[in-house]
Amino acid sequence: CAWLVTVADGKVVRFEGDPHHPLTRGELCPRMSGYPDDVTFNPDRILHPLRRTGKKGEGRFERVSWDEALGEVAGRLKKIVAEHGPTAVLPYSYAGTEGLVQMDALSSRFFARLGASRLERNVCGSAGYEGVAATLGTGLGMLPQDAAWSRLVVVWGANPAVTNAHGWPFILEAKKKGARLVVIDPLRSRTAEEAHWHVRPRPGTDAALALGMMHVIVRDSLHDADYVERYTLGFDRLKPRLAEYPPERVARITGLPASEIEELGRAYATTRPAAIRTLIGMEHHANGAMAFRTIACLPALTGAWRERGGGLLHLTFNLFDGVLNRAEFDVADRIEDKTIRSINMVQIGRALTDAKLDPPLRALLVYNSNP
C-alpha cells in the first residue's frame, strides 16, 4: 500500500492511504490504518534493551545500555561459534515489519557471513505459491485490477472482503457490471455473503473438486483444444487422470451434490472471461500445494488466459521484483553457503529439542516474528 504521512515536530500526526495510487486508492487495510498509534507511538513499545533478572516466565527485567546489550549478545555468539561452530546459531524471523530493508536486507547478510544454520521461512504462503508455480511457471498470474473485466469470478478458499482490502474492490466492480460471483468455501464468510453462489465443499477437498470440474469440461468438450495444443504441456497425462474423477465420485469426496459439480464445471467453462481468485487459506492442509497446483490447471484447460479478466489471480508480491533494484537485497543469496543445513520454521520446537541434531542449536535470534 502507498502511504501519505504528515509529520509535525518529529511526530506522525496524520497517516492515510494515497488516494491517487491505483491500488491503495485512499484505503488502508485494518492492520495498517492505526499503525502509528498501535505500534510506533504505543506506550507499551519497548525503547531500550532489557536483560532478564528473574527466572524465565517471571517477566522481571532490568534496563541496560545499547553498548552493553550488543556487547553481551556478540560475545555469547562468538563463544557459541568457537565451541560448537556457526551452525549452532539459528535466526528466526518472518515478515513482522513487512519492509524489505528491515525485514531481510541486512540481517540475512549477517547470518550468511556468520555461516549460521539457514531457516526455511515457509510458514505462510509458500505452499500455495509453489503449487501455482508448478503449473504456471510463476506464482504471479493476473493483475489485480484486471478482475474488474471478468464476467465470472470464482473466489476459491479465500475471504478477500476481509483480507484483501486493495483487491476486493475490483471484484465488486466486476459484480456491479454484471459478473457472477462464486465463492468456494466451507465457511459462510463475509465474501460468501456477497456471492451469487456459495459452494461449500468439505475442508481439504478442493483438489478433488477441481478434478471433477475438469472431468465435466473435457467430457463435454468444453475445453479450449486449440489453446491446450498451443500453450500447455501434459494434457495427454491429465486426461486419463480426469477419468478417475466423475462427478459422482467427487460428490462423495467433497460432500457436494453431483449436479452442483456439473453445473459449476459448465458455468466456469462457458463464461468468458472467467477469473479464479485464490489466496492462502487452502494451503493449510497436508495436500495444500497440490490443491493450488490442480486449481491452476483450470484456466489453462479453458483458455481463460486469452482474455483480459481471465486466468488466475494469486499473490502479487512478484510484481515488485521488476520495479525494485532487488540486486541490492539479494546479496545474502549470492554469498550464502547452500550446503549449510536448513531448518523448517514450522518445526522449530522439534529442532530446538532434537538430541540428534549435530551441533545442537545453542542460540536462537528472533526478530520480526513471534514463534
Side-chain angles (χ1 to χ4, degrees):
C1 50
W3 309 341
L4 295 181
V5 184
T6 305
V7 178
D9 298 324
K11 184 172 181 177
V12 175
V13 295
R14 186 175 177 84
F15 183 72
E16 57 191 323
D18 185 349
H20 302 296
H21 188 273
L23 296 178
T24 304
R25 300 200 289 188
E27 296 290 332
L28 295 175
C29 70
R31 66 180 175 183
M32 290 308 304
S33 58
Y35 195 86
D37 292 330
D38 292 345
V39 179
T40 307
F41 303 118
N42 191 303
D44 293 331
R45 180 180 175 187
I46 296 173
L47 301 176
H48 309 282
L50 301 174
R51 180 198 285 120
R52 179 168 57 82
T53 57
K55 295 180 179 179
K56 286 185 178 181
E58 288 184 343
R60 293 195 286 126
F61 296 86
E62 64 178 1
R63 178 175 168 179
V64 296
S65 69
W66 281 104
D67 286 345
E68 190 176 0
L70 293 171
E72 184 170 326
V73 171
R76 292 182 68 174
L77 285 178
K78 289 173 69 175
K79 184 173 186 295
I80 288 169
V81 169
E83 293 179 358
H84 304 283
T87 57
V89 177
L90 178 70
Y92 189 103
S93 69
Y94 201 61
T97 63
E98 299 193 341
L100 286 173
V101 175
Q102 307 97 310
M103 187 167 72
D104 195 41
L106 298 178
S107 58
S108 59
R109 301 181 198 188
F110 170 75
F111 290 109
R113 292 289 190 196
L114 184 67
S117 289
R118 297 180 299 139
L119 184 73
E120 288 290 338
R121 293 172 174 83
N122 54 11
V123 70
C124 180
S126 299
Y129 179 88
E130 294 298 335
V132 171
T135 295
L136 303 184
T138 170
L140 193 52
M142 294 172 57
L143 296 175
Q145 55 267 43
D146 282 353
W149 294 79
S150 304
R151 299 298 298 164
L152 176 72
V153 179
V154 180
V155 176
W156 201 319
N159 187 14
V162 174
T163 64
N164 186 217
H166 297 138
W168 177 239
F170 298 111
I171 295 176
L172 290 180
E173 186 177 339
K175 183 184 176 188
K176 187 177 180 179
K177 292 190 294 188
R180 190 181 190 188
L181 176 59
V182 179
V183 173
I184 302 176
D185 194 328
L187 299 176
R188 191 172 181 85
S189 65
R190 245 181 70 190
T191 304
E193 296 283 354
E194 296 275 356
H196 297 103
W197 183 6
H198 183 192
V199 180
R200 305 181 70 173
R202 293 190 182 106
T205 63
D206 305 277
L209 177 56
L211 287 166
M213 291 171 62
M214 288 190 281
H215 175 102
V216 173
I217 291 167
V218 173
R219 181 199 67 194
D220 296 349
S221 300
L222 299 176
H223 61 294
D224 188 333
D226 177 68
Y227 188 91
V228 168
E229 174 65 27
R230 288 171 179 262
Y231 303 115
T232 73
L233 297 171
F235 180 68
D236 56 329
R237 285 173 289 167
L238 175 66
K239 193 173 181 180
R241 182 70 166 155
L242 298 182
E244 302 173 17
Y245 285 86
E248 294 73 23
R249 182 190 179 197
V250 175
R252 292 193 296 272
I253 296 171
T254 63
L256 298 171
S259 59
E260 187 171 32
I261 298 164
E262 295 258 5
E263 184 182 356
L264 183 60
R266 284 193 291 266
Y268 176 74
T270 59
T271 309
R272 308 185 75 99
I276 296 175
R277 179 44 160 148
T278 53
L279 280 164
I280 293 172
M282 280 185 296
E283 72 173 30
H284 297 292
H285 297 276
N287 62 348
M290 187 55 74
F292 284 89
R293 193 227 187 298
T294 309
I295 292 166
C297 291
L298 277 160
L301 189 65
T302 62
W305 293 108
R306 290 186 186 272
E307 302 104 9
R308 185 179 187 184
L312 183 140
L313 172 59
H314 190 50
L315 303 182
T316 55
F317 67 87
N318 301 75
L319 292 170
F320 293 95
D321 291 347
V323 296
L324 296 173
N325 183 6
R326 289 307 295 266
E328 288 298 314
F329 298 98
D330 290 341
V331 172
D333 190 58
R334 297 197 299 272
I335 65 176
E336 184 181 68
D337 182 353
K338 301 298 192 297
T339 66
I340 292 176
R341 70 184 181 190
S342 180
I343 292 173
N344 192 321
M345 70 187 309
V346 303
Q347 296 176 336
I348 186 63
R350 181 185 301 174
L352 290 171
T353 57
D354 187 354
K356 298 179 181 178
L357 204 61
D358 185 25
L361 294 175
R362 299 294 185 183
L364 184 72
L365 277 77
V366 179
Y367 58 101
N368 283 341
S369 191
N370 185 10

